[in-house]
Amino acid sequence: MSSSRVLVLNSGSSSVKYQLLDMSDSSRLAVGLVERIGEETSRLRHTPLATGASREWTGPIADHEAALKAVAEELAKDGLGLDSPELAAIGHRVVHGGKHFTEPTVIDDAVLAEIERLIPVAPLHNPANLTGIRTARHLRPDLPQVAVFDTAFHTTMPESAARYAIDTETADAHRIRRYGFHGTSHAYVSRAAAELLGRAPEEVNVIVLHLGNGASASAVRGGKCVDTSMGLTPLEGLVMGTRSGDLDPAVIFHLARVGGMSIDEIDTLLNKKSGLIGLCGDNDMREIRRRIDDGDERAQLAFDIYIHRLKKYIGAYYAVLGRVDAVVFTAGVGENAAPVREAAVAGLEGLGLAVDGALNAARSDEPRLVSPEYARVKVAVVPTDEELEIATQTYALVGRH
Ligand code: ADP
């Protein structure tokens, strides 16, 4: 029997998201989520795609090992158990791969040690990713496990884009540089955009705008990332749901010296209480649009700040690339919020950019162009699929045996 299934695991500090895919036709067999791990009210939601009928379970799940065992049991009920010979590999999303990991990597002890060494630059994410990997290895020690890094796609950035203009020795001593994140999505979407344009990825230059709760932009030349908006951490760049994105670093000194805030308080302020939620009290773009329709000025200002930043990055990456074939919107906001796409591109006709009102307003789950025929630079919407990309990269590395 050929092994063509890949289990994709995205392990957070208190959650595990998973998808089981069959790579013979890239179809999904099951999807699910375990939340609130370590609490009395942990919740598992499992959906086998054959029936589409979700099963939910609430109760205490002590740790990631128990969570993964519960997932394995659910999969087994559908005849998709982790002990199946059809399972080729497990693909893990790992947030930070530093400079070292430029490609998906089969996990061994040395790889685990390197991911662990990166914890100081990804204290929130890498420990949870490591727990997921260790647990999966424990359950299926014989099975290839692959790490797919959020940073990998950005390792092609030239030093001129990746380095901050700070003292080189200090930067190197603390591994301070711009790493970028959402790389799996930027890779998938930039490739799919080239396909939509009917051209090879090597031939096209695109600006990808991944606008979810977290948000990042990237400039991709001929399939390779040459700049991205997130930096050492996912805090830099665009205005996000709860993160500030770019600001004068002196704001931090000011808050500490004049505002009397601790470093941890400032960290929480900028990561959790800023961005759209800090500006208007809501981080969901649907709610913000609803409030704008009701004449809410705070919501309107939050939207305007969000759009202003987005536009600045479109302009900046246009300049970085020199020639742009398409601006591509993806993720929750990018795929669904027509007003965001319209406003971000408004006034950029001089750069060859325009959206067509009707095309932009039409809803679809498919990759599509929303620019008018005459636009020199196409505007596209491409739904992202990070799990499929992780499974594809994992299978390319270990499959077909
Ligand atoms: P993440 O993976 O970063 O949590 P997603 O890519 O799923 O985020 O995006 C989530 C966000 O997408 C929500 O916070 C919401 O602002 C936005 N969103 C989802 N659906 C819509 C919609 N129909 N219209 C506008 N915004 C939407």
Side-chain angles (χ1 to χ4, degrees):
M1 196 183 301
S2 74
S3 311
S4 60
R5 290 181 191 160
V6 174
L7 178 68
V8 175
L9 288 182
N10 182 351
S11 308
S13 56
S14 66
S15 71
V16 176
K17 288 188 204 149
Y18 63 93
Q19 292 199 2
L20 182 69
L21 292 98
D22 184 341
M23 297 316 291
S24 63
D25 59 0
S26 300
S27 64
R28 249 161 272 253
L29 300 171
V31 302
L33 166 70
V34 188
E35 291 174 291
R36 299 198 289 270
I37 295 171
E39 295 180 29
E40 287 302 306
T41 56
S42 314
R43 195 173 75 115
L44 189 158
R45 185 186 169 87
H46 174 85
T47 311
L49 275 295
T51 62
S54 299
R55 300 194 289 271
E56 257 192 55
W57 182 89
T58 307
I61 295 179
D63 51 27
H64 281 71
E65 175 115 19
L68 212 53
K69 280 189 177 147
V71 170
E73 276 172 31
E74 289 303 323
L75 286 166
K77 286 182 197 164
D78 304 314
L80 303 168
L82 292 192
D83 50 0
S84 160
E86 288 175 65
L87 187 61
I90 300 181
H92 296 268
R93 174 185 184 219
V94 179
V95 168
H96 215 307
K99 265 174 85 171
H100 185 82
F101 292 112
T102 59
E103 301 278 344
T105 306
V106 176
I107 296 167
D108 58 18
D109 290 341
V111 170
L112 273 180
E114 183 61 26
I115 297 172
E116 192 151 11
R117 217 173 63 84
L118 290 163
I119 287 177
V121 284
L124 296 179
H125 294 105
N126 275 25
N129 300 157
L130 276 167
T131 306
I133 295 171
R134 291 206 174 96
T135 307
R137 280 182 109 203
H138 192 215
L139 286 184
R140 280 296 309 267
D142 54 315
L143 199 66
Q145 316 254 344
V146 173
V148 178
F149 299 94
D150 256 18
T151 46
F153 184 62
H154 304 304
T155 54
T156 50
M157 275 195 289
E159 287 294 283
S160 53
R163 280 200 176 265
Y164 293 108
I166 62 173
D167 172 68
T168 303
E169 279 73 40
T170 308
D172 289 349
H174 298 287
R175 278 178 288 170
I176 294 171
R177 60 189 281 115
R178 309 189 55 257
Y179 294 100
F181 298 88
H182 291 144
T184 310
S185 176
H186 286 282
Y188 175 85
V189 168
S190 56
R191 227 178 33 242
E195 200 172 303
L196 183 67
L197 297 177
R199 294 166 66 186
E202 299 75 39
E203 289 174 9
V204 298
N205 293 352
V206 294
I207 296 171
V208 177
L209 303 169
H210 176 112
L211 311 178
N213 208 9
S216 63
S218 68
V220 183
R221 177 182 290 131
K224 291 201 170 11
C225 178
V226 292
D227 204 353
T228 194
S229 61
M230 284 178 168
L232 173 74
T233 77
L235 183 56
E236 191 179 347
L238 300 174
V239 176
M240 311 185 207
T242 66
R243 295 185 201 127
S244 63
D246 296 335
L247 44 73
D248 180 346
V251 169
I252 296 163
F253 317 144
H254 188 83
L255 287 172
R257 291 185 188 130
V258 181
M261 291 175 75
S262 71
I263 289 296
D264 284 343
E265 284 168 343
I266 300 170
D267 191 331
T268 303
L269 176 82
L270 298 181
N271 274 295
K272 304 252 166 74
K273 299 181 182 168
S274 297
L276 292 171
I277 206 158
L279 288 167
C280 74
D282 272 307
N283 64 334
D284 192 314
M285 192 52 81
R286 284 164 289 201
E287 190 52 33
I288 291 171
R289 290 304 310 174
R290 225 169 276 139
R291 284 173 54 186
I292 291 172
D293 289 343
D294 289 345
D296 186 320
E297 286 178 12
R298 259 183 87 195
Q300 180 70 59
L301 180 59
F303 183 82
D304 292 346
I305 295 169
Y306 184 94
I307 296 296
H308 180 74
R309 186 80 53 83
L310 206 48
K311 215 172 245 190
K312 285 199 340 193
Y313 270 91
I314 293 173
Y317 287 173
Y318 203 120
V320 165
L321 290 169
R323 189 205 85 221
V324 179
D325 297 295
V327 172
V328 193
F329 288 85
T330 192
V333 175
E335 290 166 30
N336 296 298
V340 168
R341 297 192 295 260
E342 188 184 333
V345 170
L348 302 185
E349 293 80 7
L351 298 180
L353 277 157
V355 296
D356 175 282
L359 289 177
N360 190 41
R363 299 195 63 83
S364 162
D365 292 334
E366 296 297 315
R368 59 200 185 275
L369 294 179
V370 297
S371 46
E373 276 291 312
Y374 66 79
R376 247 186 316 119
V377 179
K378 305 298 173 204
V379 180
V381 181
V382 174
T384 192
D385 195 337
E386 290 167 277
E387 289 78 15
L388 175 60
E389 179 69 13
I390 292 172
T392 303
Q393 295 194 8
T394 299
Y395 194 59
L397 205 56
V398 305
R400 303 173 217 287
H401 53 250

